């Protein structure tokens, strides 16, 4: 008797949902804060059709799940991001593109799935995928408007993690590529004009998923997860974690270029996501989730500690060139967020998903980290309940950094139900202040954002 192994990313709550629905007046357990008004939207992979060959979680078509909160009531809708690739496959009635675990399809360009993250900037919600252009999304309907190329000025890929300066309104982004120059860096004005794009020189191509900004600087991470076409031609893996290479952190003035970048070396590691960065006298400080190495994208590694992200802090001294690296917490945590009203400035608190003891990327709680004293508090979702990235939503007109709420989707494995959980960020150990029950399953996904009431009404009379 033969058995066929089930791909774990097509099973359970990783499995896609195919219905796009819109519902009114969801059931709420507890009470939604009356001043919590806006829309929580999360992006994630959701293959429209049965995948071709090996499927990786990162391959699926983007699907947005949104809960609109207003006057203590909640509504829900979910929509595919209608990319060109999605439209072609929708018309074909089957998958056309294979995933990145399969050999490249020579007759097809890469498929922009727009499945990774979201950003609100200059009056527009964008769905993001780091290999191509953003897609503009209409809110609150979550309908896809189309590719967003800054009036044709976009000349590189676009990271899934752009950074918006809360004071100037500027947005910084980068794009990495498989051919020199391996990195491009761009700045967008507060009103949405792409001001400049400059190349940044790297010795080899690397997978650079995230970066960070401070008030005056931008920080790039040249980490040893490398890709090489020449290596592939030799029959070796195109993607490889080279643990004998150091990690390099490049610090450049926000409006600077390659001639002004300074590189700092640190022990070999990998970082998928940063919490925040800021300036402290002569130092630039970076806080992020650090792994000793990674196999997540298919690269091989025998390190038993690989893929375990832990909270770390780096201090880069701009006068001496020295680097100080330290672990702040040994608890495995990922999907970090801060109060984005303070992005690029020193923050006391950060929030992240607490990694469950599982071979799959599951989170069984939210960790609130206090960077000042190294202590943390944890909100546990409960037995057989797993959530995603916690987004901090500040209370309107507050002055306290942690006065607000943490929002995330949680799936109850035993009941096979999903809900939006709202936790008081100043009382994370306690029960949620509200649980919004979703009428269909919300699969595990990637990154989320909060669109405020003011943003929802942007441009509307």
């Amino acid at each position: 008797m033969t058995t066929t192994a089930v791909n774990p990313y097509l099973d359970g709550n990783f499995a896609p949902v195919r219905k796009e629905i819109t519902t009114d007046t969801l059931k709420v357990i507890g009470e939604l804060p009356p001043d919590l008004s806006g829309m929580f939207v999360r992006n994630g992979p959701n293959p429209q059709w049965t995948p071709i060959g090996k499927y990786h979680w990162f391959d699926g078509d983007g699907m947005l799940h949104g809960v609109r909160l207003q006057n203590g009531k909640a509504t829900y809708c979910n929509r595919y991001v209608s990319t060109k690739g999605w439209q072609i496959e929708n018309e074909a009635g089957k998958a056309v593109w294979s995933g990145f675990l399969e050999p490249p399809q020579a007759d097809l360009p890469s498929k922009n799935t727009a499945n990774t993250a979201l950003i609100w900037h200059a009056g527009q919600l964008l769905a993001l995928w780091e290999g191509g252009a953003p897609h503009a999304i209409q809110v609150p309907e979550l309908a896809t408007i189309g590719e967003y190329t800054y009036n044709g000025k976009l000349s590189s890929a676009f990271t899934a993690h752009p950074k918006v300066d809360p004071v100037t309104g500027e947005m910084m982004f980068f794009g990495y590529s498989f051919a020199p120059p391996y990195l491009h860096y761009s700045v967008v004005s507060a009103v949405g004009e792409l001001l400049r794009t400059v190349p940044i020189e790297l010795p080899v191509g690397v997978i650079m998923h995230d970066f960070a900004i401070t008030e005056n600087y931008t920080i790039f991470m040249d980490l040893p997860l490398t890709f090489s076409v020449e290596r592939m031609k030799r029959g070796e893996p195109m993607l490889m974690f080279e643990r004998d290479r150091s990690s390099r952190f490049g610090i450049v003035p926000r409006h600077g270029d390659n001639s002004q970048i300074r590189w700092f070396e640190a022990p070999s590691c990998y970082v998928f996501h940063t919490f925040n960065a800021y300036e402290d006298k002569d130092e630039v400080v970076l806080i992020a989730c650090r792994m000793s190495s990674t196999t997540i994208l298919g690269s091989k590694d025998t390190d038993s500690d690989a893929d375990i992200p832990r909270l770390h802090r780096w201090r880069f001294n701009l006068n001496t060139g020295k680097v100080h690296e330290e672990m702040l917490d040994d608890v495995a945590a990922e999907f970090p967020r801060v109060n984005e009203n303070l992005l690029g400035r020193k923050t006391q608190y950060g929030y992240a998903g607490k990694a469950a003891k599982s071979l799959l990327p599951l989170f069984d709680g939210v960790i609130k980290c206090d960077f000042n004293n190294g202590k943390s508090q944890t909100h546990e979702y409960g037995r057989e309940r797993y959530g995603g990235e916690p987004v901090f939503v500040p209370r309107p007109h507050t002055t306290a950094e942690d006065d607000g709420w943490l929002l995330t989707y949680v799936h109850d494995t035993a009941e096979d139900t999903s809900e939006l959980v709202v936790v008081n960020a100043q009382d994370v150990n306690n029960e949620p202040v509200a649980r919004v029950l979703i009428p269909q399953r919300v699969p595990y996904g990637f990154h989320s954002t909060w669109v405020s009431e003011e943003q929802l009404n942007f441009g509307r009379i």
Side-chain angles (χ1 to χ4, degrees):
M1 180 178 175
T2 60
T3 58
T4 303
V6 176
N7 187 318
Y9 295 111
L10 295 171
D11 193 34
N13 197 46
F14 287 96
V17 294
R18 298 278 158 66
K19 284 186 178 179
E20 295 177 313
I21 67 172
T22 302
T23 63
D24 294 326
T25 317
L26 303 180
K27 182 179 178 181
V28 177
I29 297 173
E31 187 175 347
L32 287 167
D35 46 358
L36 180 61
S37 190
M39 190 173 192
F40 176 79
V41 189
R42 201 216 63 207
N43 203 347
N46 197 94
Q48 180 183 188
W49 304 105
T50 301
I52 299 171
K54 298 175 185 174
Y55 174 76
H56 191 285
W57 194 30
F58 297 171
D59 292 333
D61 298 290
M63 179 176 276
L64 308 179
H65 297 264
V67 172
R68 174 88 160 89
L69 304 177
Q70 191 177 32
N71 301 322
K73 299 188 183 315
T75 61
Y76 165 83
C77 70
N78 67 304
R79 296 290 185 271
Y80 279 107
V81 184
S82 180
T83 65
K84 291 177 183 176
W86 183 91
Q87 293 170 23
I88 289 169
E89 292 186 327
N90 185 259
E91 291 171 9
K94 63 178 182 180
V96 174
W97 277 266
S98 59
F100 74 78
L101 294 180
E102 295 290 332
Q105 294 164 285
D107 57 334
L108 287 173
S110 60
K111 177 187 176 185
N112 183 338
T113 56
N115 70 3
T116 311
L118 297 148
I119 192 80
W120 177 275
H121 186 247
Q124 182 62 64
L125 181 65
L126 302 173
L128 308 172
W129 179 75
E130 65 196 55
H135 281 73
I137 303 298
Q138 182 178 331
V139 289
E141 299 83 1
L142 301 185
T144 303
I145 299 168
E147 283 196 349
Y148 200 80
T149 63
Y150 294 90
N151 295 316
K153 288 185 177 181
L154 181 63
S155 58
S156 72
F158 193 107
T159 176
H161 295 290
K163 309 299 179 190
V164 176
D165 186 309
V167 176
T168 69
E170 293 171 305
M171 180 171 71
M172 280 54 70
F173 73 89
F174 68 90
Y176 65 83
S177 64
F178 291 85
Y182 295 114
L183 185 65
H184 284 93
Y185 167 49
S186 301
V187 179
V188 181
S189 75
V191 295
E193 180 187 358
L194 181 49
L195 298 176
R196 63 200 302 263
T197 297
V198 297
I200 302 292
E201 293 178 8
L202 300 177
V204 295
V206 297
I207 300 292
M208 190 183 299
H209 185 64
D210 201 356
F211 73 137
I213 64 166
T214 69
E215 189 174 352
N216 296 291
Y217 297 101
T218 295
I219 307 166
F220 295 110
M221 300 183 291
D222 176 15
L223 309 179
L225 183 58
T226 67
F227 48 77
S228 167
V229 176
E230 289 73 22
R231 197 161 56 209
M232 185 178 68
K233 289 177 179 176
R234 297 195 300 264
E236 300 171 10
M238 185 180 82
L239 191 65
M240 181 182 292
F241 186 85
E242 300 186 56
R243 59 170 48 256
D244 57 337
R245 288 186 70 230
S246 297
S247 295
R248 297 198 315 152
F249 297 82
I251 299 177
V252 64
R254 175 173 297 181
H255 295 280
D257 57 27
N258 188 70
S259 68
Q260 297 168 281
I261 197 165
R262 291 188 59 188
W263 290 99
F264 296 78
E265 287 200 4
S268 175
C269 71
Y270 195 72
V271 172
F272 270 106
H273 300 112
T274 64
F275 268 97
N276 197 16
Y278 59 93
E279 297 158 37
D280 184 12
K281 298 178 182 177
D282 296 334
E283 295 180 323
V284 169
V285 182
L286 172 68
I287 302 176
C289 297
R290 179 194 188 275
M291 301 173 174
S292 61
S293 62
T294 181
T295 65
I296 287 175
L297 294 171
S299 61
K300 306 297 182 186
D301 201 301
T302 56
D303 181 3
S304 61
D305 215 30
D307 302 322
I308 300 177
R310 295 185 175 95
L311 180 62
H312 277 65
R313 178 166 57 204
W314 292 260
R315 290 183 173 273
F316 307 101
N317 192 301
L318 298 178
N319 281 343
T320 66
K322 290 185 177 180
V323 181
H324 177 71
E325 175 187 308
E326 62 179 326
M327 182 169 66
L328 300 181
D329 197 328
D330 63 355
V331 176
E334 250 293 0
F335 284 1
R337 299 293 290 259
V338 295
N339 180 339
E340 292 184 359
N341 287 338
L342 296 170
L343 194 70
R345 282 77 182 166
K346 185 174 182 180
T347 49
Q348 180 176 353
Y349 301 108
Y351 311 92
K354 175 178 168 286
K357 293 181 179 179
S358 169
L359 295 176
L360 295 172
L362 296 173
F363 300 96
D364 56 15
V366 174
I367 298 174
K368 178 184 181 180
C369 312
D370 188 325
F371 302 135
N372 288 357
N373 58 26
K375 295 182 179 180
S376 63
Q377 297 173 289
T378 303
H379 176 85
E380 305 279 356
Y381 296 134
R383 183 178 175 83
E384 294 187 73
R385 288 165 58 86
Y386 303 101
E389 178 183 59
V391 171
F392 177 83
V393 181
R395 188 187 304 274
H397 315 299
T398 187
T399 56
E401 179 190 326
D402 62 343
D403 188 8
W405 304 275
L406 298 170
L407 274 64
T408 190
Y409 288 124
V410 169
H411 181 73
D412 188 309
T413 305
E415 300 293 333
D416 197 27
T417 56
S418 298
E419 59 196 57
L420 174 69
V421 169
V422 181
V423 175
N424 182 346
Q426 293 183 320
D427 189 18
V428 296
N429 295 129
N430 214 332
E431 292 293 311
V433 296
R435 296 164 50 202
V436 180
L437 306 187
I438 312 295
Q440 74 171 354
R441 187 171 57 82
V442 178
Y444 301 125
F446 298 142
H447 300 286
S448 310
T449 196
W450 173 255
V451 185
S452 69
E453 193 70 27
E454 181 182 4
Q455 292 167 339
L456 287 172
N457 293 323
F458 183 87
R460 300 182 186 223
I461 299 174

